[in-house]
Each structure stands twice: as C-alpha cells, then as structure tokens.
Amino acid sequence: MLLQTPTLQEEVIQMQNFKKKKVIVITVLAVMLVVLAICGIHKIVKVWKYKSCNTKYISIKQYDNLEIPKVKPEKVTDDLIDFSLVQYLQNENLKQHDTQSPIKEGDTICLNYAGRYNGSSFRNSDVKGLILTLGNGSIDNNFEKQLIGHKPEEIFSVKMTMPGNYEDSFVAGKEVTFSVQVDYIVKSVEIPNVVTDDFIKQHTGYSTLAKYKQYIKEDLKQQAKLKAEKTNREKAIEVLLQHTKVKKYPKEELEEIENALIEKDNSNAFYSNVSEKEYRTNMGYKTGKEYAKHIETLAKSQLKERLAVAAIAKANNLEVTEDYNQEEQEKLAQEFGFSTVEELNAKMVRNEIRLMIKKFYVADYLIKHSK
C-alpha cells in the first residue's frame, strides 16, 4: 500500500494547530512564571512587613502587625455618675467647723495658746492653729483635762507644772499659766440622701451640683481611659512574649532579679512579724527547693520581658522622651497613691520606674504598629 502525501491544505492546518499548541504552552509557562514571581514578591513583602529581631539572648519572630486584642474605654453614663456621687463626696473627707458644742474627749480641735511664767514667755510657749485629737496623748493629760467642757472661741486659763526636763530651764519644773482659745471643733460632714446645690457650694470647691457632676464625669472618663490603656499595654507585651523565644538567660541579670525577689519577700516577712521560713510556708512553699523553683520561674519571666522590651527598643531606636517620661510618672504616682512625682521617686526604686516606663513606651509602639 502506497503512503498518501498530505495535500497543501492539510499541511497548512497542521502548521496552524502546531502554532496554537505553541502559544498555549508559552502562555502557560508565562502564567507560571508570573505566579512564581508574585509568590516570591509576597515572601519578600511578608519578611519586610513582619519584622523580626534576634539578639544574643532572645529571638523574636515577629513584632510588627501583631494581632493585639484591644479594648475601648468604658462609657461614662449618667447612671454611673449618680452612683459615684456619694463615693466622691466621701473621698473628699468633708469636714465642718463646730463653734457651738462643748469640747469633749475624742474631739479634734484647732487650739491656740500662749504660756507665761511671771509675765514672761518661754521657748515654744506660743502656738496657733494646732490641730489635735483629745485623748491620743499628743498633749499633756492635765492640760487636756482643763479643756473639756469649754466651748470654741471662749478664752480661758489653764495651769500646769512643766516637766523637770523641759527644754527651757527657765520654766522646767515650774507652774505656768496658759491663755487658751479653741477656734473650732472639727467634725465630719454627713452626706444627705439628696445632695443639693447648697450642700455642694458649702462643702466643695464647686458652685452647683451640675458642675460637681461634670467634674465626676471627666474624672471617670480619665480613669476609664487609663484602665483601657493599661489593659492594652499588658496585652501588647503578652502577645510580644508569645512570639519571643529565649536562647539563654544572662546569668548576672537573672541572679540580680532573683536576689531582689528574695529580698522583697524577706522584707514582707519582717513587716508581717514572722520568720522568713514561716512567710514562705504561708505562701505555699513547703520546702526550700520549691521556693527556689518559684523564684527562678518568676525571675525568668521578668527577665524574658525585660530582654524583649530592650531588644525592640534598640532595634527601632526608641528613646523615651522627657514629656512622655513626666506624663507616665504622674500616672504611676496616681496609681500607687502618691501625692506627687517627687514622692513616687522617693518611695520607689528609680530603676524600677525607668523599666516600667520603657515597657510602656515599647507597648505603645507595638499597639501603634498592630493589626
């Protein structure tokens, strides 16, 4: 059987089919190259987007775009303001000056006196505006007894024999006469069931109840803001630590934290008037080994946080500004019950304050760059 030679038309069709297949193959290959390129770019973007951090001691696989669950400040409602009114007034520690009632033991009074011996004054003989509570031993018992029964604003004489070892030898062991006047008796103010404008004007620095409630509202809003801020910062550090792995703990720093924790427990034992061993037993640690393990675990936890915070701060050149430092110290003073920043710094270890504020600064950075 003879082979049949394809016609010209058939050759053209075959050529066209070949070209189509070639185009399809090239298209498929092109698409694959594009997909591969996109995947590569995506990986590059992902590496850039999710910053990592490695140091001698720790490895942080991601600290940007963290999924940090954040809370918003609670809303301050009129019901909450009304509910808080009595508590705010109680916190004012409201006092009034009673000038009508007779003085009795236990009263807190404002006392003035002038002592004279043979017509002459002596050391510490004249005192004005002394606030004291009768019966607590702050003044001589015989002197105090002669105040009982008199009324405020009344001027009367009190006689007493000065101690033989009194600081002024001129009157030591001598009978001295004091001219005495009590300005007023300090009494606590009872908060009425219905608080009026007059009550607010008389006992606070506000002229109306509405203005006092506005003060309460602003204060509650500030408290809610600080509470939410604290919660979000704690959550930010918590999420950061979930992405942090410790390679090894710096020995000296770990020992320093362990010693500080032990010293704190020993101090608590002293002020609780129990032995260190008894204090640790009360904490739930029956043996020294259990307590040592507890201290080690707690110290490692604190050090891990400290290392992670320091690493993020260094990697991003985060330096706490003076304004931020001052603002956070004021918040800490308020949180820990200190009246001023100076008192905060006097009562707390400054390095602890510095570390806390540094942690806040890093936490705020993490929140700002989170999802």
Side-chain angles (χ1 to χ4, degrees), residues 15 39 60 138 184 241 273 319 335 337 359 366 371:
M15 184 64 70
C39 289
I60 304 175
S138 56
Y184 52 81
L241 295 179
N273 198 29
E319 291 290 340
E335 180 180 348
K359 182 174 75 171
L366 296 173
K371 291 182 180 179

Side-chain angles (χ1 to χ4, degrees), residues 323-340:
D323 289 343
Y324 186 94
N325 183 60
Q326 181 64 29
E327 182 180 347
E328 292 304 318
Q329 285 196 51
E330 290 172 359
K331 292 179 187 177
L332 286 173
Q334 182 180 353
E335 180 180 348
F336 292 122
F338 297 113
S339 56
T340 63

Side-chain angles (χ1 to χ4, degrees), residues 207-297:
S207 57
T208 65
L209 177 60
K211 289 183 178 180
Y212 190 72
K213 283 187 174 183
Q214 183 61 32
Y215 147 69
I216 294 175
K217 181 178 181 179
E218 295 303 320
D219 192 60
L220 288 174
K221 285 172 66 176
Q222 179 65 12
Q223 288 183 38
K225 180 181 176 182
L226 292 176
K227 183 179 178 181
E229 179 184 68
K230 183 178 180 180
T231 300
N232 291 336
R233 285 173 171 176
E234 289 174 350
K235 184 56 67 173
I237 297 299
E238 180 184 328
V239 174
L240 171 65
L241 295 179
Q242 291 171 358
H243 289 76
T244 302
K245 182 178 180 181
V246 179
K247 299 175 184 177
K248 64 176 181 178
Y249 292 95
K251 186 176 180 181
E252 289 186 5
E253 287 187 53
L254 185 62
E255 288 179 351
E256 180 184 336
I257 295 175
E258 288 176 339
N259 291 334
L261 291 170
I262 294 171
E263 184 179 340
K264 183 177 180 180
D265 283 346
N266 291 345
S267 177
N268 289 338
F270 175 79
Y271 287 109
S272 300
N273 198 29
V274 296
S275 68
E276 295 170 6
K277 183 178 180 180
E278 185 179 356
Y279 183 81
R280 294 170 187 180
T281 301
N282 293 338
M283 290 173 66
Y285 305 105
K286 298 179 181 179
T287 66
K289 188 175 181 179
E290 286 181 358
Y291 177 73
K293 185 63 179 176
H294 154 72
I295 290 295
E296 181 186 12
T297 301

Side-chain angles (χ1 to χ4, degrees), residues 26 33 44 72 125 159 175 185 195 222 234 256 263 291 301 326 342 346 371:
I26 293 173
L33 288 172
I44 294 172
K72 294 182 179 180
S125 62
K159 293 184 177 182
E175 185 180 73
I185 303 169
V195 179
Q222 179 65 12
E234 289 174 350
E256 180 184 336
E263 184 179 340
Y291 177 73
S301 175
Q326 181 64 29
E342 289 72 23
K371 291 182 180 179

Side-chain angles (χ1 to χ4, degrees), residues 190-206:
E190 184 177 346
I191 300 170
N193 293 328
V194 178
V195 179
T196 63
D197 286 344
D198 288 341
F199 182 87
I200 293 297
K201 186 175 182 179
Q202 182 179 357
H203 297 292
T204 74
Y206 296 85

